[in-house]
Each structure stands twice: as structure tokens, then as C-alpha cells.
Amino acid sequence: MKKDYYEILGVPKDATVQQIKKAYRSKALKFHPDRVPPEQKKQAEEQFKEISEAYGVLSDSQKRQMYDQYGHAGIDQNFTAEDIFRGADFSGFDDLGDVLNQFFGGGGFDFFGGGFGGGARGGGRRAARGRDIQYEVEITLEEAFAGVHKKIKVPRNEHCKACNGTGAKGGTAMKTCPTCGGSGQVAVSSGFFRMVQTCSTCHGRGKIIEEACPECHGQGFVRMTRTIDVTIPAGVSSDSRLRIRGEGEVGPAGPGDLYLYILIKPHELFNRSGQDIELRFSLNYLIAALGGEVSVPTLNGSVSMKIPAGTQSGKIFRLKGKGMPHVRENETGDQYVQVMVTVPARLSSEEKKLLYQLAEISHVPVAPDKDSPLDKVKKMFK
């Protein structure tokens, strides 16, 4: 099991970005593999990778929010190892770039001249992935409870078949980019930094188009609407985000991802609170007074619930395990039933008679029965 990122850096969960950065600097220098004895090098490397991963998440507001909400599962599901370091602020850490490059190659830029991403050392170009797509999916509370398969129609850019996504007529009318010499990248140096950026002329391809494809006009993609099968797991909540890899826009380095944002419709009976379900249930006054058994609806069918004699209106009962399942863990919430004692608006003559007898026995000063013969006789002699 992975350690808590806050524990790894030794900071509280409400730590500021400055506190996180300071803690990372201290620990990174302490476990720098070049600063420990040879016999401790392997252990130091593992610890260095661990604290760098923790910093990569906690120094980025989006990743930190996902981690705070879902823990390691939120990071592992939504970010690749490369994504963890993309967007994190590693500036100001002097000679740590070379070590980061050894462990986390593929970032797409050189870090303090160290080649974090292998741009300068490896010479390999890194073209851009396609744009990610966001799509809202509305489901019912029952679907969120059980999980559901849906077919959604997503408009997106797809590779042009006429040019095989090159943008060039026939897929071959291209030449080597004169700006980057075919590498797809250009380097810009400034002090300690040597940033390797995607070539703006060829956009990372290393080649430029001589004659544009007439179908896509040199874009390399066309607009289409695709039907995608998606599986929404049981236990999702409103504003949950599901990542479907490779279903986003196309790009030179492959497609982006599709992010589904879940919206759950309000329910006429149930209210959701985390993994728990809340229900207000109308309870007959006789059952409340004498006790009994009632059938209560849940998201998984009706269940029997015992009502003790003398139950007061507003009392809350707990139905264990009748709430929402956890989306990642093997646990289920509970259902809380608040009973509201109801009194009938109209009574039959027999019901009235019995209740007046009960009131007389209990010495309860109820209003007189206006419909009784005795009460009518009294009114005649007033």
C-alpha cells in the first residue's frame, strides 16, 4: 500500500504550497543519490522517487484536489506517471534535474540542462497529444447505485482517412521542417534552464506540408460524431469524473482522453449524503403508538422495518448496508429513515367513537364530538 503523500513530505494536510516546496527541497537534497554512501544509494533512489511523486501531486492544485477527495485511487485512475510531473512547479531546485531525468524520463522538456524528458540527450521529438474532451452524463440515483452501461454520442476530431492524418495530399506531400531540422523540437536556454519546446513551425511533427489534403484542408482531421460505449461504475456521485483513455481529439502523438462528468438527477423519495441514503417516511399514528412492522423502500427494493411502541415523530432509524456502494472499496453506506407520524384527516364514526373512549380513559381534554347525539341534545337546552 502506498504511503500518504503528506506523510512522505512531513507536512500537514492544510500545508501551503510554500511549505510543501520547502519540505520537498529539504528531503530531496537529503536523499539525493549522489549525496549518500554507495551502500545507501539504492534505498536513497527509492525514497527520492517517492518524495518526488508526492511533490508532483501536492504542488499541483488539480492533482492535490483529486488526491484529497479520493486518495491514491483518484491519482492512479486519472493520471499517468508522466501526468503527475506535468504542471508541477520544480523550479528552484538547482541540481535535481539530472536525477529526475533518470527516474522520470519523457516529460518533454530539459530541466536545468539535465534533460527531464530526454529532449536534448535523446534527440527524440515529442509531438502533442490531442485535446481532451469533457462530456456531461446525467443518470438516475438508481443507476448510480447499481452502475450502468450507456451509449453516448461525442462530436470530436478524427484522423482524415484521405491523407491518413498527415494533412498532406495523398499523405506524402511533405518535407523536412527547416526550423527544427526534423526533430520536432527547438531548445531555448536561459541561465540554469534549457527548455526544449515543441517546434511551432511543424507542431512537433518534424515535417511540414507542401500540398494540403483537399478533404481536411491540411488539418489532418475531420469533424465526426462517434457513439462510444461507457461503463459508469456503481457508487459514483454527482461531479465524479471518469477518464476514458484515447477517446478524445486526435493529435500528432495520439488521441487525448475523454472525461465524463457525472450528474445525478434529484430523486423524489431519497436524498443522498455521501454513501448514505436519507428517507422521510410517513408512519401511521396507530403503529407509532402500538408498535408494528412497516415496509420501507430502498434503492434495492423494499425491506421490513420494526417500529417499537411509543415511537415519536421525527425519530430516525438506521438500515445498515442499505446505502450506496463505494466506487472503489468493498463497503456500502447505510439508509437513515426519519419517520413522520401522520394522523388521518377524516375518521369514520366507529374510529371517532373508539378515540373518544380512549380520550375519556386517558383523561385527555379533547374537543367534544359535535356529531354525537348527546352533544346535539345539550345544544338544544342552551
Side-chain angles (χ1 to χ4, degrees):
M1 177 178 280
K2 286 186 177 181
K3 294 181 183 177
D4 180 74
Y5 285 146
Y6 292 98
E7 182 180 343
I8 290 170
L9 294 181
V11 295
K13 291 195 174 182
D14 59 352
T16 63
V17 175
Q18 289 76 16
Q19 289 174 312
I20 291 171
K21 191 170 185 178
K22 182 178 179 181
Y24 173 69
R25 174 191 290 274
S26 175
K27 288 186 175 290
L29 293 176
K30 178 180 178 181
F31 296 108
H32 194 299
D34 293 338
R35 300 186 179 208
V36 298
E39 64 273 12
Q40 297 178 11
K41 188 176 181 68
K42 185 175 181 180
Q43 182 182 359
E45 287 177 351
E46 292 302 318
Q47 289 175 299
F48 188 88
K49 285 191 287 185
E50 189 175 66
I51 61 175
S52 295
E53 180 181 340
Y55 178 75
V57 171
L58 298 185
S59 64
D60 183 280
S61 59
Q62 181 190 5
K63 299 183 187 79
R64 185 176 180 179
Q65 182 179 3
M66 292 293 292
Y67 178 72
D68 287 345
Q69 188 171 359
Y70 301 112
H72 287 290
I75 299 300
D76 295 342
Q77 181 175 341
N78 294 288
F79 301 99
T80 63
E82 177 187 331
D83 289 337
I84 289 177
F85 297 93
R86 183 183 293 120
D89 180 17
F90 284 93
S91 61
F93 292 118
D94 300 328
D95 61 343
L96 301 181
D98 284 335
V99 182
L100 288 170
N101 177 62
Q102 289 177 7
F103 299 144
F104 312 107
F109 59 90
D110 278 1
F111 190 72
F112 300 103
F116 183 20
R121 294 183 179 183
R125 69 177 182 270
R126 181 176 180 78
R129 289 169 63 249
R131 185 174 65 87
D132 294 333
I133 298 175
Q134 297 182 359
Y135 191 91
E136 289 187 350
V137 179
E138 190 175 51
I139 62 175
T140 64
L141 186 59
E142 286 84 356
E143 289 174 329
F145 172 80
V148 65
H149 296 280
K150 283 188 174 289
K151 292 182 182 290
I152 60 174
K153 293 184 177 181
V154 180
R156 67 181 188 183
N157 295 330
E158 297 196 0
H159 280 303
C160 173
K161 293 181 179 180
C163 64
N164 198 29
T166 64
K169 185 176 181 180
T172 59
M174 305 182 75
K175 66 179 181 180
T176 300
C177 175
T179 302
C180 64
S183 69
Q185 294 180 324
V186 291
V188 180
S189 298
S190 177
F192 287 106
F193 297 90
R194 182 169 60 177
M195 304 295 292
V196 178
Q197 301 174 339
T198 300
C199 176
S200 60
T201 303
C202 65
H203 305 291
R205 295 184 179 186
K207 294 182 179 296
I208 58 174
I209 298 170
E210 288 188 301
E211 187 176 356
C213 170
E215 295 293 327
C216 64
H217 307 289
Q219 295 295 315
F221 57 82
V222 291
R223 196 70 174 170
M224 296 183 68
T225 298
R226 179 178 290 274
T227 300
I228 301 174
D229 291 318
V230 298
T231 299
I232 299 174
V236 295
S237 57
S238 267
D239 298 324
S240 290
R241 186 180 75 163
L242 303 179
R243 180 185 188 183
I244 303 176
R245 296 180 183 274
E247 292 293 353
E249 305 277 18
V250 298
D257 299 324
L258 171 64
Y259 288 91
L260 298 182
Y261 287 83
I262 307 301
L263 298 177
I264 300 178
K265 300 176 186 178
H267 199 279
E268 61 181 356
L269 292 179
F270 303 111
N271 179 57
R272 180 176 180 177
S273 178
Q275 285 179 254
D276 297 327
I277 294 295
E278 299 169 343
L279 170 70
R280 297 188 74 180
F281 183 79
S282 295
L283 182 66
N284 183 279
Y285 71 108
L286 293 175
I287 297 178
L290 303 174
E293 206 164 285
V294 294
S295 179
V296 176
T298 74
L299 287 169
N300 196 28
S302 296
V303 297
S304 181
M305 186 175 78
K306 291 183 178 180
I307 303 295
T311 293
Q312 302 298 305
S313 187
K315 182 175 176 58
I316 296 175
F317 294 86
R318 175 192 179 196
L319 297 176
K320 189 175 181 181
K322 295 300 180 181
M324 296 291 292
H326 196 287
V327 72
R328 295 183 184 88
E329 299 175 10
N330 187 26
E331 60 180 51
T332 307
D334 303 321
Q335 178 167 314
Y336 290 90
V337 182
Q338 183 180 35
V339 296
M340 308 303 293
V341 177
T342 57
V343 177
R346 294 183 178 181
L347 296 170
S348 67
S349 58
E350 184 66 21
E351 288 172 329
K352 277 187 178 181
K353 181 180 178 180
L354 293 173
L355 286 175
Y356 272 106
Q357 290 177 0
L358 176 62
E360 185 177 357
I361 294 171
S362 303
H363 303 289
V364 177
V366 296
D369 185 1
K370 297 178 181 179
D371 297 325
S372 70
L374 181 61
D375 189 60
K376 290 179 180 179
V377 171
K378 289 180 179 178
K379 288 180 180 179
M380 292 174 61
F381 289 95
K382 280 186 177 180

